[in-house]
Amino acid sequence: MAGIDYSERIPNNVSLGDNRRLQRALEEWQPKFIDWWMSMGPDGFQQKDVYLRTAVSVDAQGWAQFDYVRMPEYRWGLFLAEPEAGRTIGFGDHLGAPCWQDVPGEYRGVLRRLIVTQGDTEPASVEQQRHLGATCPSLYDLRNLFQINVEEGRHLWAMVYLLDAYFGRDGREESEALLQRRSGDRDKPRILGAFNEKTPDWLSYLMFTYFTDRDGKYQLASLAESGFDPLSRTCRFMLTEEAHHLFVGETGIGRVVQRTCELMREGKTDDVRRLGGIDLETLQKYINFHYSVSLDLFGSEVSTNAANFYTMGLKGRFEESKKKDDHRLKDATYTVSELAGDRITTREAPALPSLNERLRDDYIADCQRGVDRWNQIIKKHEIDFELRLPNRGFRRAIGLFAEVKVSPDGLVLSEAAWDSNKHAWLPTEADQAYVQSLMRPVTERGRFASWIAPPARGVNSQPVDFEYVRLA
Ligand code: BYC
């Protein structure tokens, strides 16, 4: 890759052209990234022209430029939000001190671990989604999938930039390892649970973008509060792109709900499977699964890691700077869940180790807002059904609830009661086979698969029947 003008090839606002050491590190990493992208990125579409948004700068005009691009030629840029003059650390033991422009030596290991954990999720999601192109429900959806994939690629670049620019040799080793782990691989899995699950169909993908990408929003927002300024600025810019991923999830599931309701009304039946739709009960089961897997991503209810991240000034709360308390939380308490025999109750716990639970609470409230909007669609069709988020203890693998079985209503169950009911709460093999049977590609302009309604509008003011991906 020698000879490439990197400041031209990699749009950036980090003065890449002036930093020879960083350029060399990225020059070594870039061909490995491309190898990874070609072997683990979207399967079967690498040579197609896709109508994509590329960020070429962070200002209003520059961050969303649309044109046809072949994905391997996407310009994965390095962008930090503009610096805030005089920014100080907003929480923890260093409250009020100037933000760090370099890695504080005593926190090097912890900070690297946080950045690696964040970075690891980005390529993982691309790997999870790599076979979906073959069964797209429309060109519009296909394009959105690829947009998300290239931006997850860019988010990987964003974390690799931090590792290479600030962590020397260790950082370069971590950058390599990010390309070597594989989602779902037994020997070298991705770090966090949800990123080793399969995304075998488009319903799972839309659920993933609604629930799992939303964890991304909350984690990035907490890291955007960081006293390590380069991390804060990187995450702030990533959040602008993240909004589109959440849009795809929320409107995507909304369109499935819409289509199901239309089929129920038109066919005067609840049995929409006969008509090629996805019944509301199955949607509920997919919600149960993806929500519970995503709740695990917030870690344990009581976590010394979380307390340390905060006290050290590395990871704040969601909207930390808007909160009106002492931003140290040494004497504060927070309400966390507790198991009392076979009941779930709450207790007051020290606030610092409860920070994961607090972030999970913010996330749950946000998840509920989308569910309410989907229920509005159902109500408009005068159908008597309500989608719900299951209890936070349902099907958890991390934290307090990992050792018990909890029903969607929040009852602690015996193993036997769980086993005899779980088919009603989680997708069964038959449900999955049915959803899989719907996954046939629809690639004619303006047409949509039987199980999903068209979107309200197209991308970047283009019509819904625009040629979002040129397949010919
Ligand atoms: N799976 O004290 P604990 C995104 C580990 S998504 C496996 O309970 P802690 C995106 C934990 O690592 C956002 N392991 O939790 C979305 C720790 O291990 P070590 C990703 C887990 O540390 C869609 C041990 O259990 N960003 O961007 O307070 C598409 C005890 O941990 C899990 C981040 O996560 C799990 N679910 O918090 C694309 C932000 N949960 O260290 C992208 C950075 C916990 O003892 N990460 N463990 O070996 C963090 O802030 C924290 O690492 C966590 C965990 C919140 C994940």
Side-chain angles (χ1 to χ4, degrees):
M1 279 289 137
I4 282 184
D5 177 351
Y6 266 73
S7 37
E8 162 64 21
R9 175 92 187 101
I10 306 176
N12 71 89
N13 68 350
V14 297
S15 306
L16 194 54
D18 302 337
N19 189 338
R20 283 298 305 151
R21 200 184 54 77
L22 177 59
Q23 272 191 52
R24 264 202 303 278
L26 291 175
E27 274 167 15
E28 264 185 41
W29 187 79
Q30 197 260 5
K32 295 175 190 160
F33 168 79
I34 290 292
D35 283 350
W36 166 82
W37 178 268
M38 296 306 286
S39 60
M40 295 313 295
D43 190 24
F45 293 86
Q46 301 280 7
Q47 295 314 318
K48 305 295 180 200
D49 286 329
V50 187
Y51 186 68
L52 290 177
R53 171 178 84 178
T54 304
V56 296
S57 65
V58 292
D59 54 38
Q61 288 81 40
W63 83 271
Q65 297 219 342
F66 287 84
D67 206 348
Y68 284 103
V69 183
R70 289 185 193 168
M71 287 183 277
E73 287 154 28
Y74 188 79
R75 297 168 75 210
W76 283 283
L78 298 175
F79 292 109
L80 274 59
E82 293 298 340
E84 274 172 40
R87 181 169 175 257
T88 56
I89 299 172
F91 57 92
D93 284 352
H94 305 279
L95 180 71
C99 280
W100 298 292
Q101 298 305 328
D102 220 328
V103 177
E106 68 273 36
Y107 301 151
R108 196 181 167 82
V110 182
L111 194 50
R112 192 182 61 210
R113 176 79 183 158
L114 274 174
I115 293 169
V116 165
T117 306
Q118 177 62 51
D120 190 69
T121 63
E122 318 289 1
S125 67
V126 175
E127 292 165 1
Q128 287 170 298
Q129 296 166 14
R130 75 178 295 250
H131 295 299
L132 290 173
T135 55
C136 64
S138 72
L139 286 184
Y140 166 88
D141 290 291
L142 186 62
R143 177 263 165 213
N144 281 346
L145 167 72
F146 295 154
Q147 182 70 55
I148 291 178
N149 291 161
V150 293
E151 283 175 354
E152 302 301 7
R154 206 200 68 73
H155 292 179
L156 169 62
W157 272 87
M159 292 301 119
V160 164
Y161 160 73
L162 292 176
L163 290 167
D164 284 2
Y166 295 96
F167 291 86
R169 179 205 283 260
D170 302 356
R172 290 197 295 280
E173 283 172 8
E174 293 285 11
S175 298
E176 299 250 329
L178 285 168
L179 295 176
Q180 282 159 9
R181 286 185 287 274
R182 289 284 180 273
S183 174
D185 190 300
R186 234 178 2 151
D187 300 326
K188 42 184 176 73
R190 292 295 173 182
I191 296 171
L192 298 174
F195 295 90
N196 289 304
E197 298 287 346
K198 285 196 163 51
T199 311
D201 56 69
W202 279 75
L203 182 59
S204 303
Y205 157 77
L206 295 173
M207 293 285 170
F208 182 96
T209 48
Y210 186 78
F211 289 109
T212 308
D213 275 275
R214 194 169 305 276
D215 169 53
K217 168 182 164 185
Y218 281 83
Q219 299 295 344
L220 288 173
S222 307
L223 294 173
E225 302 285 344
S226 183
F228 178 50
D229 206 38
L231 175 62
S232 160
R233 291 173 55 204
T234 304
C235 291
R236 267 185 273 156
F237 185 67
M238 288 163 77
L239 280 165
T240 55
E241 292 165 323
E242 201 64 33
H244 170 69
H245 309 184
L246 299 176
F247 165 86
V248 166
E250 185 183 329
T251 57
I253 299 173
R255 289 163 53 212
V256 180
V257 172
Q258 170 80 22
R259 182 67 183 144
T260 301
C261 293
E262 287 167 4
L263 290 173
M264 286 171 81
R265 299 300 295 173
E266 285 163 21
K268 299 193 174 37
T269 177
D270 289 351
D271 183 13
V272 290
R273 287 196 183 188
R274 266 195 308 123
L275 306 170
I278 302 178
D279 46 291
L280 295 171
E281 290 76 11
T282 300
L283 279 174
Q284 179 65 62
K285 291 181 183 182
Y286 275 72
I287 289 174
N288 292 349
F289 177 80
H290 287 272
Y291 176 65
S292 55
V293 166
S294 304
L295 284 185
D296 276 340
L297 291 172
F298 291 82
S300 306
E301 292 75 8
V302 176
S303 162
T304 31
N305 285 350
N308 289 339
F309 298 154
Y310 188 86
T311 311
M312 293 169 177
L314 302 178
K315 181 181 175 190
R317 289 171 291 177
F318 182 66
E319 299 190 327
E320 179 74 42
S321 40
K322 291 192 190 159
K323 296 199 189 300
K324 302 249 178 294
D325 54 24
D326 72 355
H327 300 281
R328 290 182 193 269
L329 307 181
K330 300 257 190 224
D331 304 317
T333 60
Y334 191 75
T335 310
V336 297
S337 303
E338 186 170 52
L339 280 171
D342 61 357
R343 282 186 322 118
I344 299 174
T345 57
T346 56
R347 72 182 162 95
E348 284 302 299
L352 280 172
S354 308
L355 285 167
N356 286 342
E357 187 68 346
R358 183 178 202 134
L359 193 60
R360 188 164 20 236
D361 284 341
D362 292 329
Y363 167 84
I364 290 174
D366 198 17
C367 286
Q368 184 61 49
R369 283 190 272 275
V371 175
D372 291 344
R373 280 190 282 267
W374 302 331
N375 281 330
Q376 284 301 321
I377 299 174
I378 301 177
K379 214 167 161 191
K380 251 193 223 147
H381 287 82
E382 295 174 358
I383 291 168
D384 186 19
F385 191 98
E386 220 177 284
L387 294 167
R388 288 188 316 151
L389 295 176
N391 183 274
R392 72 175 67 212
F394 176 75
R395 205 196 152 273
R396 292 287 303 284
I398 299 278
L400 180 69
F401 299 108
E403 301 305 321
V404 289
K405 298 286 190 242
V406 176
S407 75
D409 289 335
L411 296 174
V412 180
L413 302 176
S414 66
E415 288 282 341
W418 168 264
D419 283 341
S420 57
N421 282 297
K422 67 176 180 203
H423 67 279
W425 298 331
L426 289 166
T428 60
E429 277 181 26
D431 295 327
Q432 289 169 19
Y434 173 68
V435 170
Q436 201 60 54
S437 76
L438 296 175
M439 298 298 125
R440 307 232 180 81
V442 176
T443 55
E444 220 174 282
R445 282 173 60 169
R447 277 202 52 222
F448 289 80
S450 61
W451 53 272
I452 189 165
R457 60 191 67 83
V459 178
N460 190 36
S461 308
Q462 300 290 359
V464 169
D465 66 357
F466 185 70
E467 191 174 17
Y468 288 107
V469 184
R470 288 183 180 144
L471 294 177

